[in-house]
Each structure stands twice: as C-alpha cells, then as structure tokens.
Amino acid sequence: MAFQWSVLYFLVLLQVSFTPIFAGSSGEEEFSEELLLRPLPDRKVLAHFHFESRAPPTEIYGHHHRLFPKAIYQLVQKFQIREMELSFTQGRWNYERWGGFNPITSANAKPPGVELWAILDVPPDQVDASWKNLTHTLSGLFCASINFLESSTAYSSPDWAFQPSSRSLRYGALPREAVCTENLTPWLKLLPCRDKAGLAAILDRPSIYRGFYHSQRLRLTSTEVGSEKGMESGIVLEQTLTIVLEPDAQRPNTNHLGGRVLQPSWSLRSIFGREISGRCVLAKYSTVFIEVERNLVSELKKLGRRRGVAEIASDSWTDPFFDLSVTPDKTIKEMNVTHGDSSSILYEFSTEKYLDYEPFDVGLTWKLPVVWSSPQAPFRASRFLIGSGNQRGSIAISLKSTEPGEGFMSDLAREGCTVRVDVFQVVPWYVKVYFHTLQVFVDGRHRRVTDALEKIHVSPSEDKVSPGLMEMVLRFPCSMKSATLTIEFDKGFLHIDEYPPDANQGFDIPSAVVRFPDFQASTYYLKDNSRKSALLSKFQEKNLLLSYTEILLVPLATPDFSMPYNVITITCTVFALYFGSLLNVLRRRVGEEERFLKEASMRKGMLPQLLSKLSAKLRGKYKDSPQSSSSSSSLLNPKLMFKVALVAGIAVGWHYYFE
C-alpha cells in the first residue's frame, strides 16, 4: 500500500512539473527562425536573420526552460532588466545606397563598435551599481570589452531624445571595439540549435566577415517585473544578424541596351558557401523570404511599360524580369501603401520539407538590367569637425533633403508645415563643449536658435567624472533643402596614464542619433494575426525613423612619450657610471696587481727573459725591472686622485640637483 502511494505521489509531482511544457500556447516556450534576402541597388545583397525566443512568466512556468537560454533568464532576474539592447557592428550602414526608410534600417542599422542601452527596474539609487555589474556580466558572456562602460565617464542617462522618458535608462557606446568571431560564437550559443541546424547553419564565418556591413543585435524585453495590466507577460529575446554581401557575378560582361550592366545573379550557396538542410527541430517555424522593395517594383513597372512587357504579378512567382530557382510557397503583397502606387512584394519559402540529402538553395537570376534607388529618409544626416589645431574646434551636424520620389513630403508641404527632428549626442569629458555657442543655419542662412529650437536638455560634462549630453528638439520648414547645426568646443588635456596605446591616432566621439518622430518606418504584410510571423510582425510595428551619424576622430595634444624613456636611459647611465667608478676605486688593490704581474712574468721561464734582455740590448734600451715599476706606482698617483675627485663631484652635484 505504501509503495502504491509513493508511485501515485511521484506521478502527481511529474504532472505538476511538466504541466507548463504541455500546456496551452499561453504557457509554452516558443522559438522561431526567419531569414530575409533583399537585392540592393549597388549590386549587393542584404541578408537579415531574425531569431526570436519567448519564455512565459516565471510564476506560471517556473525557473527551468527548455528553449530559452538560461544565461539570459538569469540576467533578467539578477539585474531586473525591463528592456535592453546590445549590438556589435562592423562597418557603417550606407543610408544613401541601402535605404533609410524601412523597418530593417530603423531597428538594425547600428553605429560601428558596441552600443548598449538598458532600462533597469531598480530603485534610482541602485541604477548605476546595477549598470556596472551588468556591463561586467555581458563582457564575460560575449567576450568583449563591454566592462569599459562601467566608468561614469563612458555612459550617460538620456532623458527623452533616445528612448521614451525613463530615469533608469543608461546608454553607452564603444566606437573602437573590434568585432570578430569571439563575439559571434557566444551569440550563436544562445540559440536552441546553435549553428548546427536550421538557418544558423549557413553562417559561414569567412563569408560573414568579408561583407561590407555586419551587425549582430540582441534585444531583450521583459514584463515580469512591473508589468502593466493587459500586456503580454514573459521574456522576449530577439537576436538579429544583418549582413550586406556582394555576390560573385556569374556573368560580369553581360551588357544590354543603354550600356546598363545586368545585376549579378546570386543564391544562398554563392553568398554563404552553404545550403539550408532543413529547419531547427525546436523551432516553431523556419521561413526564408525574398523581398522586392517598392522602389524596385515601381522601376520594373516603368521598364515593362517601355518594353511592352507584362507587369510583375503579386500572386505569382513568375516574372519577366528575374527568375527564382525555387517555387515560393506563398507570395505576399504589401498592404496599406501610403508612399506612391507601388507595393513591396514578399516571396515566402518554408524550409520544413528540406533535408540533408535535398537541401534548400534559393537563388535569383536577373533577365534585364534595372537601376533603382532604395527609399530614403526625409533628410540625410551627417556630422563632421570644423577647425584645426589642438586647442579649439567645432562640431557640425548637417541635414540635407533627399527629395524622394515617393512624395511623402509633398503631403506635408503646405503653408506653415514643419518637420520635427530630434538630436541626441554624447561627447567625452575631454571635449569641453560650449552649449551657448549653438548656431543654426537653414538653406545657408543664419537663423536665430529660438526659431528652430523647440526643446533642449543639456548635461555639461565634468572632468573625469561624466560625459557631456545634449538632447534637442528642432522644427524646420518642410520646404527646407539643408540645415546645419554648429557648436564649439575646447580640447582638454589628459594625464599621461589616461592616454591609450595609440594616442596619436586620435580619440573617438560616439555617433549622434537623429530621429524623425513625424515619420514611422513600418511595412504591413499581414491581414490578420492568423499567420504569426515574428519578423513580419516586427515590420508592422510603428518604429520611429532614425539614423546614426559618423564617428568623429578628434586629435588631442599628446605628450612626447619618448621623454620618459630618455630620462630613464640617462638616469640609469649616470648611476651605472657613478657606482661602477666608485666600486672600481674602492675595491681595486694596486699591490696585488703588481704581485700578479710579477708572478706571471716568472712563469714565462728563463729563456723568454734572456731573449727579451738580448733584444733590449740590441736596441740600446734596458728593460725596467718590475721593482722600478712598482716603486713608481703608489696610492698617491695623480690620475687616481683625479678619478676619485671627479666621481665625488658628480655624486655631490647629482644629490644637490635632485634636492
């Protein structure tokens, strides 16, 4: 009877333990993997990997997970993270050629190096301490120098220009951080199948790092702590990898009418060197998309009308302008188009039916040459330095109208129309910015700051304590062609211990963030939520349009680092001369030396002595006896006394000089 009760008790415990795993969708972990491929106007290909892991609330599911990475879960619980984003980027996103008005650009175009921001749900007096511990943890987790962001001179506390207002937000960037496979490998280990199966299996390291742009991002959202009612609770981990590659042109010399060169054909094997051998068995779905953006569709329509060719069809994969090597499972057309009459088209491929012996390798082959441009943001932002020398300078932020053909500015171009621009900029403490010197130029004309400035928040830098922070809200007329903001600064001086090993290269100022709140980068492909695609759902979110400026390289006055070496060298030389001469004088025995010489001469024998005397007689000279030489040598030798006096004088002068 006792044995039966024990078995029954064990079965009850087993059922309670595994109930969350086999419960409904509200209590299950989920993992999905998706890949989007897009041809770019400058003969390159954009590959965007999107992996998403979801974990239900801890009070429902417990502390143990099958799919969600344990390291990330412990990170959330330890530091009470509400939101966090970490990115490793190599290269700079080309807004002019690759576009600046789409969801991928707004969310995944990151500045070079490392960027980290986090919102911590802890008391205000514990935010800085939690941030420092978080940077050390992430540094060990991703094999990077993120721990350099622990210093108060390396991070800031934005108010409202970077993210929604939150006093527990911390932001830091390392522009010079190098990105390599040591950062990618820990990132891939967070996936349930790592890089052994699924879409991550085609991530060949040489193919990735020889690309023009590479950015791996980790976005963490948690609603377990301080979640609001009506929100979907749990932890959501997004891992994205954005790569811009140039495929090998299979027909580089194929020209057509008008001197246009055919776009290079490509496939997964040609750009990654591998094929997809099925999905990750733990993934809810594994999908590959090929996107034809709206500007390309519009150009293909114009080209088709000129050549009398049928237009591209949204419900078919056959097209007179290009061929797909694999028949797509579904063709999706963009909905709710507000920018012109053209819609983006998405070809969907499911990898569930492919295996090792029949891998998936989709490719695109162009039939006719086509030239197009990617959608642009209303203004192209850039930043540069003005001035020369190691004392003063100016930082300039330039905004130039892109004059897009979509016409989304024409709807706003009316009397009294203005465009809002938010600027967020952090400068190190040794770049001493004078915020009162801010000047605004619109279309080459100087304007009063109050005419363009709507709101500003300034946090002056403090030497060796905190960086300078500037947040601005600007209003410009919609008809503006260009605008320039300038602000002056002085270059500070560092202690010799604060210079990096490559100090003569200069010091980096992190990228500034320019946002356009009046515009939202979103693309609607789904009619309802029946087909839940994490990537397409992200496209539907109303992401604010933003862009990052260039990193500034500021040369500072650097000391002559060879002087310490010279001082050390001459000091060691003088000390060696002093002590060597002193020891030589004190330890030298003249009598002993004469005795050694006499004994040596006696060992030569009689025959050499007779021969030496005979030769001396023949020359008319007599050899001095050792006795005479010894008598001429004494301790009162003037040369010896001079050496002793010289060494003593050097010692006295040295002591007097240093006192």
Side-chain angles (χ1 to χ4, degrees), residues 544-573:
L544 293 181
L545 195 63
L546 61 84
S547 61
Y548 289 87
T549 64
E550 299 86 350
I551 295 174
L552 295 181
L553 188 63
V554 180
L556 296 183
T558 57
D560 185 3
F561 292 101
S562 65
M563 288 305 297
Y565 170 77
N566 297 336
V567 171
I568 294 173
T569 303
I570 191 173
T571 302
C572 294
T573 304

PDB file of all heavy atoms in Angstrom, residues 544-573:
ATOM      1  N   LEU A 544      10.009  54.436 -34.955  1.00  0.00           N
ATOM      2  CA  LEU A 544      10.392  55.794 -35.315  1.00  0.00           C
ATOM      3  C   LEU A 544      11.587  55.766 -36.262  1.00  0.00           C
ATOM      4  O   LEU A 544      12.508  54.970 -36.105  1.00  0.00           O
ATOM      5  CB  LEU A 544      10.726  56.607 -34.067  1.00  0.00           C
ATOM      6  CG  LEU A 544       9.564  56.907 -33.123  1.00  0.00           C
ATOM      7  CD1 LEU A 544      10.048  57.735 -31.932  1.00  0.00           C
ATOM      8  CD2 LEU A 544       8.452  57.646 -33.841  1.00  0.00           C
ATOM      9  N   LEU A 545      11.555  56.641 -37.224  1.00  0.00           N
ATOM     10  CA  LEU A 545      12.624  56.722 -38.206  1.00  0.00           C
ATOM     11  C   LEU A 545      13.833  57.404 -37.573  1.00  0.00           C
ATOM     12  O   LEU A 545      13.720  58.513 -37.038  1.00  0.00           O
ATOM     13  CB  LEU A 545      12.146  57.512 -39.425  1.00  0.00           C
ATOM     14  CG  LEU A 545      12.988  57.404 -40.693  1.00  0.00           C
ATOM     15  CD1 LEU A 545      12.996  55.983 -41.204  1.00  0.00           C
ATOM     16  CD2 LEU A 545      12.449  58.352 -41.759  1.00  0.00           C
ATOM     17  N   LEU A 546      14.971  56.749 -37.620  1.00  0.00           N
ATOM     18  CA  LEU A 546      16.192  57.327 -37.048  1.00  0.00           C
ATOM     19  C   LEU A 546      17.384  56.933 -37.892  1.00  0.00           C
ATOM     20  O   LEU A 546      17.346  55.978 -38.677  1.00  0.00           O
ATOM     21  CB  LEU A 546      16.386  56.899 -35.591  1.00  0.00           C
ATOM     22  CG  LEU A 546      16.546  55.413 -35.267  1.00  0.00           C
ATOM     23  CD1 LEU A 546      17.976  54.947 -35.427  1.00  0.00           C
ATOM     24  CD2 LEU A 546      16.070  55.126 -33.857  1.00  0.00           C
ATOM     25  N   SER A 547      18.462  57.663 -37.705  1.00  0.00           N
ATOM     26  CA  SER A 547      19.723  57.377 -38.399  1.00  0.00           C
ATOM     27  C   SER A 547      20.875  57.788 -37.490  1.00  0.00           C
ATOM     28  O   SER A 547      20.749  58.702 -36.673  1.00  0.00           O
ATOM     29  CB  SER A 547      19.800  58.118 -39.739  1.00  0.00           C
ATOM     30  OG  SER A 547      19.743  59.514 -39.538  1.00  0.00           O
ATOM     31  N   TYR A 548      21.995  57.105 -37.660  1.00  0.00           N
ATOM     32  CA  TYR A 548      23.209  57.381 -36.895  1.00  0.00           C
ATOM     33  C   TYR A 548      24.197  58.134 -37.781  1.00  0.00           C
ATOM     34  O   TYR A 548      24.362  57.811 -38.957  1.00  0.00           O
ATOM     35  CB  TYR A 548      23.853  56.085 -36.406  1.00  0.00           C
ATOM     36  CG  TYR A 548      23.095  55.389 -35.303  1.00  0.00           C
ATOM     37  CD1 TYR A 548      22.073  54.493 -35.596  1.00  0.00           C
ATOM     38  CD2 TYR A 548      23.404  55.619 -33.970  1.00  0.00           C
ATOM     39  CE1 TYR A 548      21.377  53.848 -34.592  1.00  0.00           C
ATOM     40  CE2 TYR A 548      22.717  54.975 -32.956  1.00  0.00           C
ATOM     41  CZ  TYR A 548      21.703  54.095 -33.273  1.00  0.00           C
ATOM     42  OH  TYR A 548      21.014  53.457 -32.264  1.00  0.00           O
ATOM     43  N   THR A 549      24.866  59.105 -37.193  1.00  0.00           N
ATOM     44  CA  THR A 549      25.870  59.868 -37.927  1.00  0.00           C
ATOM     45  C   THR A 549      27.218  59.156 -37.858  1.00  0.00           C
ATOM     46  O   THR A 549      27.367  58.102 -37.248  1.00  0.00           O
ATOM     47  CB  THR A 549      25.994  61.284 -37.356  1.00  0.00           C
ATOM     48  OG1 THR A 549      26.469  61.201 -35.997  1.00  0.00           O
ATOM     49  CG2 THR A 549      24.650  61.986 -37.357  1.00  0.00           C
ATOM     50  N   GLU A 550      28.213  59.767 -38.492  1.00  0.00           N
ATOM     51  CA  GLU A 550      29.557  59.210 -38.470  1.00  0.00           C
ATOM     52  C   GLU A 550      30.194  59.368 -37.085  1.00  0.00           C
ATOM     53  O   GLU A 550      29.796  60.215 -36.293  1.00  0.00           O
ATOM     54  CB  GLU A 550      30.448  59.891 -39.508  1.00  0.00           C
ATOM     55  CG  GLU A 550      29.973  59.749 -40.938  1.00  0.00           C
ATOM     56  CD  GLU A 550      28.969  60.809 -41.342  1.00  0.00           C
ATOM     57  OE1 GLU A 550      28.496  61.550 -40.458  1.00  0.00           O
ATOM     58  OE2 GLU A 550      28.650  60.898 -42.533  1.00  0.00           O
ATOM     59  N   ILE A 551      31.191  58.532 -36.840  1.00  0.00           N
ATOM     60  CA  ILE A 551      32.016  58.681 -35.643  1.00  0.00           C
ATOM     61  C   ILE A 551      33.071  59.742 -35.918  1.00  0.00           C
ATOM     62  O   ILE A 551      33.695  59.758 -36.978  1.00  0.00           O
ATOM     63  CB  ILE A 551      32.673  57.344 -35.275  1.00  0.00           C
ATOM     64  CG1 ILE A 551      31.607  56.328 -34.882  1.00  0.00           C
ATOM     65  CG2 ILE A 551      33.674  57.517 -34.148  1.00  0.00           C
ATOM     66  CD1 ILE A 551      32.161  54.942 -34.641  1.00  0.00           C
ATOM     67  N   LEU A 552      33.271  60.652 -34.971  1.00  0.00           N
ATOM     68  CA  LEU A 552      34.255  61.713 -35.137  1.00  0.00           C
ATOM     69  C   LEU A 552      35.577  61.306 -34.498  1.00  0.00           C
ATOM     70  O   LEU A 552      35.602  60.732 -33.406  1.00  0.00           O
ATOM     71  CB  LEU A 552      33.760  63.015 -34.507  1.00  0.00           C
ATOM     72  CG  LEU A 552      32.515  63.641 -35.141  1.00  0.00           C
ATOM     73  CD1 LEU A 552      32.163  64.937 -34.432  1.00  0.00           C
ATOM     74  CD2 LEU A 552      32.714  63.888 -36.624  1.00  0.00           C
ATOM     75  N   LEU A 553      36.656  61.604 -35.187  1.00  0.00           N
ATOM     76  CA  LEU A 553      38.000  61.329 -34.696  1.00  0.00           C
ATOM     77  C   LEU A 553      38.659  62.658 -34.355  1.00  0.00           C
ATOM     78  O   LEU A 553      39.000  63.443 -35.232  1.00  0.00           O
ATOM     79  CB  LEU A 553      38.814  60.572 -35.747  1.00  0.00           C
ATOM     80  CG  LEU A 553      40.176  60.042 -35.302  1.00  0.00           C
ATOM     81  CD1 LEU A 553      40.010  59.011 -34.196  1.00  0.00           C
ATOM     82  CD2 LEU A 553      40.927  59.438 -36.481  1.00  0.00           C
ATOM     83  N   VAL A 554      38.803  62.925 -33.057  1.00  0.00           N
ATOM     84  CA  VAL A 554      39.315  64.202 -32.571  1.00  0.00           C
ATOM     85  C   VAL A 554      40.778  64.039 -32.157  1.00  0.00           C
ATOM     86  O   VAL A 554      41.083  63.248 -31.258  1.00  0.00           O
ATOM     87  CB  VAL A 554      38.484  64.719 -31.380  1.00  0.00           C
ATOM     88  CG1 VAL A 554      39.016  66.048 -30.883  1.00  0.00           C
ATOM     89  CG2 VAL A 554      37.027  64.846 -31.775  1.00  0.00           C
ATOM     90  N   PRO A 555      41.706  64.768 -32.793  1.00  0.00           N
ATOM     91  CA  PRO A 555      43.105  64.714 -32.345  1.00  0.00           C
ATOM     92  C   PRO A 555      43.321  65.629 -31.145  1.00  0.00           C
ATOM     93  O   PRO A 555      42.936  66.793 -31.153  1.00  0.00           O
ATOM     94  CB  PRO A 555      43.888  65.200 -33.574  1.00  0.00           C
ATOM     95  CG  PRO A 555      42.926  66.082 -34.304  1.00  0.00           C
ATOM     96  CD  PRO A 555      41.545  65.549 -34.031  1.00  0.00           C
ATOM     97  N   LEU A 556      43.915  65.107 -30.102  1.00  0.00           N
ATOM     98  CA  LEU A 556      44.228  65.883 -28.908  1.00  0.00           C
ATOM     99  C   LEU A 556      45.740  66.058 -28.786  1.00  0.00           C
ATOM    100  O   LEU A 556      46.521  65.324 -29.396  1.00  0.00           O
ATOM    101  CB  LEU A 556      43.693  65.188 -27.655  1.00  0.00           C
ATOM    102  CG  LEU A 556      42.178  65.034 -27.520  1.00  0.00           C
ATOM    103  CD1 LEU A 556      41.845  64.389 -26.193  1.00  0.00           C
ATOM    104  CD2 LEU A 556      41.477  66.366 -27.652  1.00  0.00           C
ATOM    105  N   ALA A 557      46.126  67.055 -27.991  1.00  0.00           N
ATOM    106  CA  ALA A 557      47.546  67.282 -27.739  1.00  0.00           C
ATOM    107  C   ALA A 557      48.103  66.099 -26.950  1.00  0.00           C
ATOM    108  O   ALA A 557      47.635  65.798 -25.846  1.00  0.00           O
ATOM    109  CB  ALA A 557      47.736  68.584 -26.966  1.00  0.00           C
ATOM    110  N   THR A 558      49.084  65.439 -27.520  1.00  0.00           N
ATOM    111  CA  THR A 558      49.686  64.279 -26.877  1.00  0.00           C
ATOM    112  C   THR A 558      51.124  64.591 -26.488  1.00  0.00           C
ATOM    113  O   THR A 558      51.853  65.248 -27.245  1.00  0.00           O
ATOM    114  CB  THR A 558      49.669  63.070 -27.820  1.00  0.00           C
ATOM    115  OG1 THR A 558      50.344  63.419 -29.035  1.00  0.00           O
ATOM    116  CG2 THR A 558      48.255  62.650 -28.133  1.00  0.00           C
ATOM    117  N   PRO A 559      51.564  64.168 -25.326  1.00  0.00           N
ATOM    118  CA  PRO A 559      52.951  64.415 -24.910  1.00  0.00           C
ATOM    119  C   PRO A 559      53.925  63.570 -25.713  1.00  0.00           C
ATOM    120  O   PRO A 559      53.536  62.626 -26.421  1.00  0.00           O
ATOM    121  CB  PRO A 559      52.944  64.017 -23.436  1.00  0.00           C
ATOM    122  CG  PRO A 559      51.850  63.018 -23.330  1.00  0.00           C
ATOM    123  CD  PRO A 559      50.797  63.428 -24.317  1.00  0.00           C
ATOM    124  N   ASP A 560      55.212  63.927 -25.597  1.00  0.00           N
ATOM    125  CA  ASP A 560      56.266  63.144 -26.232  1.00  0.00           C
ATOM    126  C   ASP A 560      56.524  61.918 -25.362  1.00  0.00           C
ATOM    127  O   ASP A 560      57.198  61.995 -24.336  1.00  0.00           O
ATOM    128  CB  ASP A 560      57.528  63.999 -26.391  1.00  0.00           C
ATOM    129  CG  ASP A 560      58.610  63.266 -27.157  1.00  0.00           C
ATOM    130  OD1 ASP A 560      58.351  62.123 -27.598  1.00  0.00           O
ATOM    131  OD2 ASP A 560      59.711  63.825 -27.314  1.00  0.00           O
ATOM    132  N   PHE A 561      55.943  60.794 -25.790  1.00  0.00           N
ATOM    133  CA  PHE A 561      56.052  59.591 -24.966  1.00  0.00           C
ATOM    134  C   PHE A 561      57.471  59.034 -24.946  1.00  0.00           C
ATOM    135  O   PHE A 561      57.757  58.113 -24.185  1.00  0.00           O
ATOM    136  CB  PHE A 561      55.080  58.520 -25.477  1.00  0.00           C
ATOM    137  CG  PHE A 561      53.644  58.876 -25.278  1.00  0.00           C
ATOM    138  CD1 PHE A 561      52.879  59.359 -26.334  1.00  0.00           C
ATOM    139  CD2 PHE A 561      53.052  58.753 -24.040  1.00  0.00           C
ATOM    140  CE1 PHE A 561      51.555  59.697 -26.148  1.00  0.00           C
ATOM    141  CE2 PHE A 561      51.725  59.089 -23.848  1.00  0.00           C
ATOM    142  CZ  PHE A 561      50.977  59.567 -24.911  1.00  0.00           C
ATOM    143  N   SER A 562      58.404  59.575 -25.765  1.00  0.00           N
ATOM    144  CA  SER A 562      59.792  59.120 -25.722  1.00  0.00           C
ATOM    145  C   SER A 562      60.578  59.765 -24.588  1.00  0.00           C
ATOM    146  O   SER A 562      61.660  59.286 -24.231  1.00  0.00           O
ATOM    147  CB  SER A 562      60.485  59.428 -27.051  1.00  0.00           C
ATOM    148  OG  SER A 562      60.570  60.829 -27.267  1.00  0.00           O
ATOM    149  N   MET A 563      60.084  60.876 -24.029  1.00  0.00           N
ATOM    150  CA  MET A 563      60.815  61.552 -22.960  1.00  0.00           C
ATOM    151  C   MET A 563      60.980  60.680 -21.717  1.00  0.00           C
ATOM    152  O   MET A 563      62.067  60.642 -21.131  1.00  0.00           O
ATOM    153  CB  MET A 563      60.127  62.867 -22.606  1.00  0.00           C
ATOM    154  CG  MET A 563      60.284  63.946 -23.665  1.00  0.00           C
ATOM    155  SD  MET A 563      62.017  64.256 -24.062  1.00  0.00           S
ATOM    156  CE  MET A 563      62.613  64.850 -22.493  1.00  0.00           C
ATOM    157  N   PRO A 564      59.966  59.984 -21.238  1.00  0.00           N
ATOM    158  CA  PRO A 564      60.210  59.087 -20.102  1.00  0.00           C
ATOM    159  C   PRO A 564      61.297  58.055 -20.393  1.00  0.00           C
ATOM    160  O   PRO A 564      62.115  57.742 -19.526  1.00  0.00           O
ATOM    161  CB  PRO A 564      58.841  58.425 -19.875  1.00  0.00           C
ATOM    162  CG  PRO A 564      57.869  59.392 -20.423  1.00  0.00           C
ATOM    163  CD  PRO A 564      58.537  60.031 -21.588  1.00  0.00           C
ATOM    164  N   TYR A 565      61.321  57.562 -21.614  1.00  0.00           N
ATOM    165  CA  TYR A 565      62.366  56.604 -21.976  1.00  0.00           C
ATOM    166  C   TYR A 565      63.740  57.268 -21.927  1.00  0.00           C
ATOM    167  O   TYR A 565      64.709  56.674 -21.421  1.00  0.00           O
ATOM    168  CB  TYR A 565      62.087  56.048 -23.374  1.00  0.00           C
ATOM    169  CG  TYR A 565      63.212  55.236 -23.951  1.00  0.00           C
ATOM    170  CD1 TYR A 565      63.448  53.930 -23.525  1.00  0.00           C
ATOM    171  CD2 TYR A 565      64.063  55.780 -24.901  1.00  0.00           C
ATOM    172  CE1 TYR A 565      64.494  53.181 -24.041  1.00  0.00           C
ATOM    173  CE2 TYR A 565      65.114  55.047 -25.420  1.00  0.00           C
ATOM    174  CZ  TYR A 565      65.309  53.744 -24.995  1.00  0.00           C
ATOM    175  OH  TYR A 565      66.353  53.013 -25.501  1.00  0.00           O
ATOM    176  N   ASN A 566      63.821  58.495 -22.452  1.00  0.00           N
ATOM    177  CA  ASN A 566      65.111  59.190 -22.426  1.00  0.00           C
ATOM    178  C   ASN A 566      65.572  59.460 -20.993  1.00  0.00           C
ATOM    179  O   ASN A 566      66.755  59.318 -20.666  1.00  0.00           O
ATOM    180  CB  ASN A 566      65.008  60.504 -23.205  1.00  0.00           C
ATOM    181  CG  ASN A 566      64.703  60.281 -24.670  1.00  0.00           C
ATOM    182  OD1 ASN A 566      64.992  59.209 -25.209  1.00  0.00           O
ATOM    183  ND2 ASN A 566      64.116  61.267 -25.318  1.00  0.00           N
ATOM    184  N   VAL A 567      64.658  59.872 -20.133  1.00  0.00           N
ATOM    185  CA  VAL A 567      65.012  60.154 -18.743  1.00  0.00           C
ATOM    186  C   VAL A 567      65.479  58.883 -18.045  1.00  0.00           C
ATOM    187  O   VAL A 567      66.479  58.877 -17.307  1.00  0.00           O
ATOM    188  CB  VAL A 567      63.812  60.780 -18.010  1.00  0.00           C
ATOM    189  CG1 VAL A 567      64.085  60.884 -16.518  1.00  0.00           C
ATOM    190  CG2 VAL A 567      63.501  62.154 -18.585  1.00  0.00           C
ATOM    191  N   ILE A 568      64.752  57.801 -18.271  1.00  0.00           N
ATOM    192  CA  ILE A 568      65.153  56.538 -17.648  1.00  0.00           C
ATOM    193  C   ILE A 568      66.526  56.104 -18.146  1.00  0.00           C
ATOM    194  O   ILE A 568      67.381  55.632 -17.385  1.00  0.00           O
ATOM    195  CB  ILE A 568      64.085  55.454 -17.926  1.00  0.00           C
ATOM    196  CG1 ILE A 568      62.778  55.801 -17.223  1.00  0.00           C
ATOM    197  CG2 ILE A 568      64.574  54.084 -17.478  1.00  0.00           C
ATOM    198  CD1 ILE A 568      61.627  54.888 -17.576  1.00  0.00           C
ATOM    199  N   THR A 569      66.768  56.283 -19.450  1.00  0.00           N
ATOM    200  CA  THR A 569      68.049  55.855 -20.016  1.00  0.00           C
ATOM    201  C   THR A 569      69.217  56.649 -19.441  1.00  0.00           C
ATOM    202  O   THR A 569      70.230  56.078 -19.008  1.00  0.00           O
ATOM    203  CB  THR A 569      68.010  56.006 -21.547  1.00  0.00           C
ATOM    204  OG1 THR A 569      66.911  55.261 -22.070  1.00  0.00           O
ATOM    205  CG2 THR A 569      69.296  55.508 -22.169  1.00  0.00           C
ATOM    206  N   ILE A 570      69.097  57.979 -19.431  1.00  0.00           N
ATOM    207  CA  ILE A 570      70.211  58.789 -18.930  1.00  0.00           C
ATOM    208  C   ILE A 570      70.403  58.596 -17.429  1.00  0.00           C
ATOM    209  O   ILE A 570      71.535  58.591 -16.923  1.00  0.00           O
ATOM    210  CB  ILE A 570      69.998  60.279 -19.283  1.00  0.00           C
ATOM    211  CG1 ILE A 570      71.296  61.069 -18.990  1.00  0.00           C
ATOM    212  CG2 ILE A 570      68.826  60.863 -18.511  1.00  0.00           C
ATOM    213  CD1 ILE A 570      71.222  62.515 -19.466  1.00  0.00           C
ATOM    214  N   THR A 571      69.310  58.391 -16.695  1.00  0.00           N
ATOM    215  CA  THR A 571      69.435  58.153 -15.255  1.00  0.00           C
ATOM    216  C   THR A 571      70.184  56.854 -14.984  1.00  0.00           C
ATOM    217  O   THR A 571      71.100  56.805 -14.144  1.00  0.00           O
ATOM    218  CB  THR A 571      68.042  58.110 -14.611  1.00  0.00           C
ATOM    219  OG1 THR A 571      67.368  59.343 -14.876  1.00  0.00           O
ATOM    220  CG2 THR A 571      68.142  57.903 -13.116  1.00  0.00           C
ATOM    221  N   CYS A 572      69.812  55.811 -15.690  1.00  0.00           N
ATOM    222  CA  CYS A 572      70.496  54.532 -15.498  1.00  0.00           C
ATOM    223  C   CYS A 572      71.966  54.628 -15.909  1.00  0.00           C
ATOM    224  O   CYS A 572      72.844  54.019 -15.266  1.00  0.00           O
ATOM    225  CB  CYS A 572      69.789  53.439 -16.299  1.00  0.00           C
ATOM    226  SG  CYS A 572      68.114  53.056 -15.720  1.00  0.00           S
ATOM    227  N   THR A 573      72.248  55.402 -16.971  1.00  0.00           N
ATOM    228  CA  THR A 573      73.640  55.546 -17.408  1.00  0.00           C
ATOM    229  C   THR A 573      74.482  56.249 -16.350  1.00  0.00           C
ATOM    230  O   THR A 573      75.606  55.829 -16.026  1.00  0.00           O
ATOM    231  CB  THR A 573      73.691  56.317 -18.733  1.00  0.00           C
ATOM    232  OG1 THR A 573      72.885  55.644 -19.703  1.00  0.00           O
ATOM    233  CG2 THR A 573      75.119  56.431 -19.241  1.00  0.00           C
TER     234      THR A 573
END
